[in-house]
Amino acid sequence: MRDGPDISRIANLVGDPARANMLTALMDGGALTASELALEAGVTAQTASSHLGKLMEGGLLSLAAQGRHRYYSLAGPQVAAMLESIIGVAAAVGPQRTRPGPRDAVMREARICYDHLAGEHAVAMLDGFLARGVLIADGDEIRLGKSGPPHFAAVGIDTEAFRKQRRPICRACLDWSVRRSHLAGALGAAILDKIIAEKWARREAESRAIVFSPKGKMAFEKAFLA
Amino acid sequence: MRDGPDISRIANLVGDPARANMLTALMDGGALTASELALEAGVTAQTASSHLGKLMEGGLLSLAAQGRHRYYSLAGPQVAAMLESIIGVAAAVGPQRTRPGPRDAVMREARICYDHLAGEHAVAMLDGFLARGVLIADGDEIRLGKSGPPHFAAVGIDTEAFRKQRRPICRACLDWSVRRSHLAGALGAAILDKIIAEKWARREAESRAIVFSPKGKMAFEKAFLA
DNA sequence: CTCATACTTCGACGCTAATCGAACCGTCCG
DNA sequence: CGGACGGTTCGATTAGCGTCGAAGTATGAG
């Protein structure tokens, strides 16, 4: 009845909550294992496997098998752009139903995004890193600047050790609330670890929100924003 | 488990074939009645009404009630852009499954889009109209040029009669195969009517493809491309 | 008023698809 | 080797949704 490519087939793939969660978790361009994606989506491994199969068949994901791990990632920037635009519509249209309460304000300020910090503080932090040359934006990628390693070593984060991992050290991750990038990757994860370890902030129960203590916030700003 | 707006809710709305057809039919920015959309989607009026209700609740459509007609249109350019990007992914990913056979080549060349001509011939025709000033592009809209009415009157199409209808005379409709606009609206429908009435071309059975006869093609080009 | 048209609501049917338990293939490690 | 772990496949259950027939509401025409 209609011409053109099968748009509903693609949209239907994104239309399932579990699959949508998986896709958004991959939006930073990274690769995650099937188990990680199952956890992210909040479903069991079998269910996740079924979903991943459908996403593969639909051409939205690409797969890199390494040993007994299978790393899934988005099939390309076009897919990421599509998800972006859907998020845009959902954000423009969604507020009608989820009224922004105090919890949401906290979420906007600081929260956990997979394993790193997100929200206004995270965006400000990345801005600061880039402004001071601690990190350098290289197109889509982010690299350590010359002053990077000593800067992080001063607060007890060994960037040299990251190089041994397969995981990229720095990665930009789009922040839905601020609409700009924050820092993901191994370094982003290490910074979050430090925030938790130093007890500068604590996780809200049953939520992804992060609440800084007054003293913790000052220490955090001194360490990463100065 | 995940932050941000409810992306799966939006995608799910587009994920149904009937709804996807309705949305793509509205992608030219025009407004269509509930009955027209039902026809476009290939479902009954009741089913269409149910779908339209969901699309409204989801914030993807806006509604203008006029008498006993209810004109639905996309809620905004953001929605259109989202659909664009989904179409882009579907087109990039789809070809793997529907290999382009001879039937598809015919479809690309000429086919019916609701009630008007689409495909390469249709795009070339609109290009010609605009180049010669028969039609004038006015931003997103298309109007009749000064030479328009006599030009169409010469082939037996009375553009004056169109003015009595509520339906817009000219409308641009995005062509999925050529990725540029072709002519829709009352004038587009009248041209297709003439093509069929003069037996310049015939409809393929069970398909939306249109096949021109050699003589018919010459007559068509003489009438609309000269 | 009566009839026709445009559209929505109600109710019931059928089918798809999401989900999980359990069993089945691999790979890594001791 | 054998055991642990990561992933997928199979099967069965269940819930949700799309679909249409029929009835209901509103608008317009004669």
Side-chain angles (χ1 to χ4, degrees):
Chain A
M1 196 59 60
R2 186 111 271 283
D3 57 350
D6 195 352
I7 154 176
S8 69
R9 212 176 72 92
I10 301 298
N12 203 9
L13 287 173
V14 189
D16 178 82
R19 286 194 293 261
N21 286 339
M22 293 176 175
L23 290 169
T24 49
L26 292 170
M27 266 201 68
D28 53 11
L32 294 176
T33 67
S35 323
E36 288 171 318
L37 287 169
L39 182 67
E40 188 72 20
V43 295
T44 62
Q46 313 93 301
T47 304
S49 181
S50 158
H51 286 309
L52 290 170
K54 287 172 187 175
L55 289 171
M56 284 295 296
E57 196 194 1
L60 296 187
L61 294 186
S62 62
L63 174 59
Q66 285 184 12
R68 58 177 170 181
H69 293 276
R70 310 190 71 171
Y71 282 86
Y72 290 92
S73 57
L74 296 186
Q78 220 179 6
V79 176
M82 175 186 76
L83 295 172
E84 273 278 349
S85 71
I86 298 176
I87 290 176
V89 171
V93 139
Q96 59 176 36
R97 41 201 344 268
T98 59
R99 65 213 177 290
R103 158 73 96 25
D104 286 332
V106 173
M107 286 278 280
R108 267 192 299 278
E109 203 173 325
R111 64 181 181 279
I112 289 185
C113 178
Y114 183 39
D115 65 355
H116 55 269
L117 189 68
E120 291 163 10
H121 289 336
V123 172
M125 182 176 70
L126 177 56
D127 282 349
F129 287 155
L130 292 172
R132 281 171 288 141
V134 176
L135 299 182
I136 298 176
D138 183 6
D140 263 358
E141 291 189 354
I142 297 180
R143 292 183 293 106
L144 279 168
K146 199 174 289 181
S147 63
H151 182 273
F152 290 111
V155 293
I157 293 176
D158 179 9
T159 53
E160 234 8 83
F162 293 154
R163 302 203 181 276
K164 295 174 191 163
Q165 307 178 217
R166 175 161 41 229
R167 182 176 190 193
I169 298 179
C170 302
R171 207 159 54 196
C173 179
L174 187 71
D175 200 292
W176 69 267
S177 56
V178 186
R179 291 281 198 132
R180 287 173 49 211
S181 291
H182 58 243
L183 184 64
L187 179 56
I191 290 176
L192 177 60
D193 283 346
K194 181 161 182 70
I195 291 170
I196 301 296
E198 299 278 356
K199 295 199 194 309
W200 291 344
R202 59 178 173 75
R203 297 195 54 160
E204 278 286 328
E206 291 296 302
S207 161
R208 302 175 57 260
I210 294 279
V211 183
F212 279 85
S213 69
K215 262 198 267 186
K217 191 164 175 178
M218 287 180 62
F220 165 74
E221 288 172 351
K222 183 164 180 297
F224 296 117
L225 286 172
Chain B
M1 196 61 59
R2 187 110 273 282
D3 59 349
D6 194 352
I7 154 176
S8 69
R9 213 176 71 90
I10 301 298
N12 204 9
L13 287 173
V14 190
D16 178 80
R19 286 194 292 262
N21 286 339
M22 293 176 174
L23 290 169
T24 49
L26 292 169
M27 268 201 66
D28 55 10
L32 294 176
T33 66
S35 321
E36 288 172 318
L37 287 169
L39 182 67
E40 187 73 18
V43 295
T44 61
Q46 313 93 300
T47 305
S49 181
S50 157
H51 286 310
L52 290 170
K54 288 173 186 173
L55 288 171
M56 283 296 296
E57 196 193 0
L60 296 187
L61 294 184
S62 62
L63 174 61
Q66 284 185 10
R68 58 178 168 179
H69 292 276
R70 310 192 70 175
Y71 282 85
Y72 289 93
S73 57
L74 296 186
Q78 222 178 4
V79 176
M82 174 188 75
L83 295 171
E84 274 280 347
S85 72
I86 298 176
I87 289 176
V89 171
V93 138
Q96 60 174 38
R97 40 202 341 270
T98 59
R99 67 215 174 290
R103 158 71 98 22
D104 286 332
V106 173
M107 286 278 281
R108 267 193 298 278
E109 203 174 326
R111 64 183 181 277
I112 290 185
C113 179
Y114 181 39
D115 64 355
H116 56 270
L117 189 68
E120 291 164 10
H121 289 336
V123 171
M125 183 175 70
L126 178 56
D127 282 349
F129 287 154
L130 292 172
R132 280 172 287 140
V134 176
L135 300 182
I136 298 174
D138 184 6
D140 263 357
E141 291 189 355
I142 297 179
R143 292 182 294 105
L144 279 168
K146 199 174 288 180
S147 64
H151 183 273
F152 290 112
V155 293
I157 294 176
D158 179 9
T159 52
E160 234 7 84
F162 293 153
R163 302 204 180 277
K164 295 173 189 163
Q165 306 177 217
R166 176 158 38 231
R167 181 177 190 192
I169 298 179
C170 302
R171 205 163 52 199
C173 179
L174 188 70
D175 200 294
W176 68 268
S177 55
V178 187
R179 289 282 196 134
R180 289 174 46 211
S181 291
H182 58 243
L183 183 64
L187 179 56
I191 290 177
L192 177 60
D193 283 345
K194 181 161 182 68
I195 291 171
I196 300 296
E198 299 278 356
K199 297 199 193 307
W200 292 343
R202 59 179 172 75
R203 297 194 54 161
E204 279 286 327
E206 292 296 302
S207 159
R208 301 175 56 258
I210 294 279
V211 183
F212 279 86
S213 69
K215 261 197 270 187
K217 191 164 176 181
M218 289 181 60
F220 165 73
E221 288 172 352
K222 183 165 180 296
F224 297 117
L225 287 173

